[in-house]
């Protein structure tokens, strides 16, 4: 928090006393002022971005979960599919975004696809590695109890993957908003991306930065939500930390 | 009448002989230990029994070949294998849940045992909140409530500090006198084997064969002092000698 404040202060001083025109480098105070004046337009454009982000992320999450399970149960699939996913991560968004818009139009679909494209892989990797991290003894014990593969997956592998999953989720969620904005930049009727593009073309860097501020705030909120969700989903983690003084063993 | 009987069991992993020739038996309500150096393949034996691996030779339970492995054994692995995300109560009911018993009924069956296992008041705790000894008792509780014919204990106290381990051995001996479980214990701790067992099988280094079968004639309850303790020390010295000076190997030396 202090570092962010300091950065803003330096920026403010530079913009005010260096003589650079506000149409080149607007001071934070001006950005904030303009953001307030244009708040209706900003909110209006933020809503489609939020919708695209959440829908895209939901699709990506379901796909990552379904595929991770498939890969966990049929190991050869992992070898067959992973190269494809890795290649998908090398696609430059700058090139792909306009193409996807070209193919699927200005509607919601291309945005959802691009958000899913950038968020899918970290979650898939996290889930697959998480299943693998299951303690071997727990697996052996469950087999000795008479549990089948599905029972072992539900009782042991899935919960073992949770910490990994949340690590992947946190990485993914920071890409999600950027992904949506990129898609809108390439073509949209409304959204933060197209708002930024228009502001830039009208020589209004202050409004570009105001939209950047909104997108940063969105990402922070989403990130905070994942942290909250992790606390709710994994109460044992905090319980373990609180009593760490009792004497950890091994 | 022996419940578990192994006849000339062998196991090799990719050309490497791990178990050379294992024949042993465990009688009803008998506490038997398998004692051997680290890496001798003791845990492999349990993998055969629980069906995780398959070997050669005959494995009989109550005279019938072992097929449905899950039915006879309750297995306690080397680490406590408690699930960090389940509270102690739900860890204890795990085996019953896998058997298809409803959670509520399983809890009702497990709950009265918490006091005896020194875990009363810790039902709602997570494993990470418990000490090593308590975790091990919780793991044993999870094992015995399955009410299988026989317990398989794989170095259950290996990860504990020396004092806690001694305390746990005394506690387990007392629990065993009370419940008379049929049990097979794997250990490399000579004192632990002598203190807990009715009989001990001494294994050689890999490939493992049974070097000696030793009866432990000490009276129960086992004590740490007096005449019995001196007898125990003599027995421990004898076993250590067998393990540390293995040549000439005597093969099957049943007494």
């Amino acid at each position: 928090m202090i570092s962010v404040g300091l950065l803003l202060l330096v920026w403010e001083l530079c913009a005010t006393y260096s003589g650079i025109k506000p149409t080149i480098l607007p001071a934070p105070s001006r950005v904030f002022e303009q953001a307030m004046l244009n708040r209706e337009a900003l909110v209006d454009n933020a809503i489609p971005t939020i919708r695209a982000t959440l829908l895209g992320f939901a699709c990506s999450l379901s796909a990552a979960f379904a595929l991770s399970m498939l890969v966990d149960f049929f190991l050869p699939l992992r070898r067959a599919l992973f190269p494809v996913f890795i290649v998908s991560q090398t696609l430059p968004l700058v090139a792909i975004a306009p193409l996807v818009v070209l193919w699927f139009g200005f509607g919601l679909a291309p945005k959802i696809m691009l958000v899913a494209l950038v968020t899918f892989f970290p979650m898939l990797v996290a889930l697959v590695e998480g299943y693998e991290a299951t303690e071997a003894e727990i697996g052996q014990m469950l087999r000795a109890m008479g549990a089948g593969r599905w029972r072992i997956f539900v009782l042991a592998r899935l919960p073992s993957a949770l910490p990994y999953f949340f690590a992947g989720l946190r990485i993914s969620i920071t890409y999600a908003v950027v992904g949506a904005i990129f898609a809108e930049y390439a073509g949209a009727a409304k959204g933060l991306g197209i708002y930024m593009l228009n502001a830039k073309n009208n020589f209004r860097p202050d409004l570009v930065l105001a939209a950047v501020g909104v997108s940063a705030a969105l990402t922070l909120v989403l990130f905070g939500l994942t942290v909250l969700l992790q606390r709710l989903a994994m109460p044992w983690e905090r319980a373990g930390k609180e009593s760490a003084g009792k004497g950890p063993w091994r | 009448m022996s419940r578990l009987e192994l006849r000339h069991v062998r196991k090799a992993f990719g050309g490497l002989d791990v178990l050379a020739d294992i024949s042993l038996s465990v009688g009803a309500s008998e506490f038997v230990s398998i004692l051997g150096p680290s890496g001798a393949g003791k845990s492999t034996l349990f993998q055969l029994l629980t069906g995780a691996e398959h070997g050669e030779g005959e494995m009989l339970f109550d005279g019938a070949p072992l097929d449905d492995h899950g039915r006879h054994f309750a297995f306690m692995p080397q680490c406590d294998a408690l699930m960090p995300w389940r509270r102690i109560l739900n860890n204890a009911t795990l085996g019953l849940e896998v058997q298809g018993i409803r959670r509520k009924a399983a809890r009702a069956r497990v709950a009265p045992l918490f006091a005896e296992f020194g875990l009363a008041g810790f039902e709602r705790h997570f494993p990470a909140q418990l000490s090593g000894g308590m975790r091990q008792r919780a793991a044993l509780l999870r094992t015995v409530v399955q009410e299988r014919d026989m317990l398989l204990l794989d170095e259950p106290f290996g990860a504990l500090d020396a004092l806690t381990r001694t305390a746990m051995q005394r506690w387990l001996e007392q629990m065993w006198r009370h419940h008379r479980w049929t049990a097979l214990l794997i250990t490399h701790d000579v004192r632990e084997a002598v203190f807990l067992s009715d009989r001990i099988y001494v294994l050689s280094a890999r490939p493992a064969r049974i070097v000696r079968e030793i009866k432990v004639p000490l009276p129960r309850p086992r004590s740490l002092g007096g005449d019995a303790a001196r007898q125990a020390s003599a027995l421990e010295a004898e076993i250590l000698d067998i393990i540390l000076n293995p040549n000439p190997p005597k093969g099957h030396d049943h007494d």
Side-chain angles (χ1 to χ4, degrees), chain B residues 18-243:
Chain B
V18 178
L19 301 177
D21 182 6
I22 304 289
S23 298
L24 58 80
S25 65
V26 181
S29 297
E30 192 181 21
F31 198 114
V32 175
S33 289
I34 295 176
L35 181 66
S38 291
K42 302 189 294 288
S43 296
T44 305
L45 193 61
F46 274 10
Q47 286 179 340
L48 295 181
L49 289 174
T50 56
E53 295 285 347
H54 296 279
E56 297 163 51
E58 266 187 296
M59 303 197 289
L60 304 173
F61 201 92
D62 289 342
L66 267 182
D67 40 15
D68 187 3
H69 296 276
R71 219 177 40 209
H72 300 296
F73 305 115
F75 168 61
M76 178 169 168
Q78 240 171 54
C79 66
D80 54 56
L82 292 173
M83 295 177 167
W85 53 86
R86 282 182 165 234
R87 295 176 193 277
I88 295 301
L89 181 60
N90 296 335
N91 261 296
T93 57
L94 183 67
L96 299 178
E97 274 177 56
V98 171
Q99 285 175 30
I101 295 168
R102 281 174 185 283
R103 202 171 244 212
K104 206 174 165 191
R107 284 181 178 173
R109 236 163 93 178
V110 171
L113 293 166
F114 268 73
E116 197 183 0
F117 279 72
L119 294 167
F122 288 89
E123 291 86 346
R124 306 291 301 161
H125 282 58
F126 286 110
Q129 296 171 295
L130 267 56
S131 69
M134 293 177 86
R135 293 173 61 120
Q136 226 55 36
R137 287 200 295 270
L140 190 70
L141 174 57
R142 175 195 59 203
T143 312
V144 301
V145 294
Q146 295 172 43
E147 294 186 351
R148 304 286 179 158
D149 300 325
M150 185 169 167
L151 303 182
L152 302 179
L153 311 173
D154 188 354
E155 293 186 23
F157 309 134
L160 300 177
D161 65 86
L163 281 177
T164 312
R165 190 186 313 151
T166 308
M168 290 292 292
Q169 287 160 359
R170 298 179 75 167
W171 173 81
L172 180 59
E173 204 263 338
Q174 178 199 332
M175 290 290 283
W176 183 84
R177 271 188 279 122
H178 191 216
H179 293 275
R180 295 278 161 173
W181 301 303
T182 304
L184 185 58
L185 170 82
I186 283 178
T187 182
H188 54 235
D189 182 339
V190 177
R191 181 168 291 175
E192 178 171 286
V194 170
F195 187 75
L196 291 172
S197 315
D198 298 314
R199 264 183 318 126
I200 300 171
Y201 289 100
V202 181
L203 286 195
S204 69
R206 200 175 59 210
R209 57 184 80 245
I210 286 167
V211 188
R212 191 81 70 87
E213 181 191 346
I214 293 166
K215 285 207 169 69
V216 183
L218 304 175
R220 290 185 189 264
R222 299 278 158 87
S223 66
L224 293 168
D227 251 7
R230 267 190 296 281
Q231 257 179 289
S233 299
L235 202 55
E236 285 164 24
E238 186 191 334
I239 295 171
L240 270 175
D241 195 49
I242 296 169
I243 295 175

Side-chain angles (χ1 to χ4, degrees), chain A residues 66 73 109 165 214 227 231 233:
Chain A
F73 276 85
F165 167 70
V214 173
V227 173
R231 282 199 183 170

Side-chain angles (χ1 to χ4, degrees), chain A residues 226-242:
Chain A
T226 63
V227 173
L228 193 71
L229 198 66
Q230 179 166 18
R231 282 199 183 170
L232 291 175
M234 301 175 59
W236 62 90
E237 231 192 18
R238 274 158 60 83
K241 273 183 200 142
E242 275 160 18

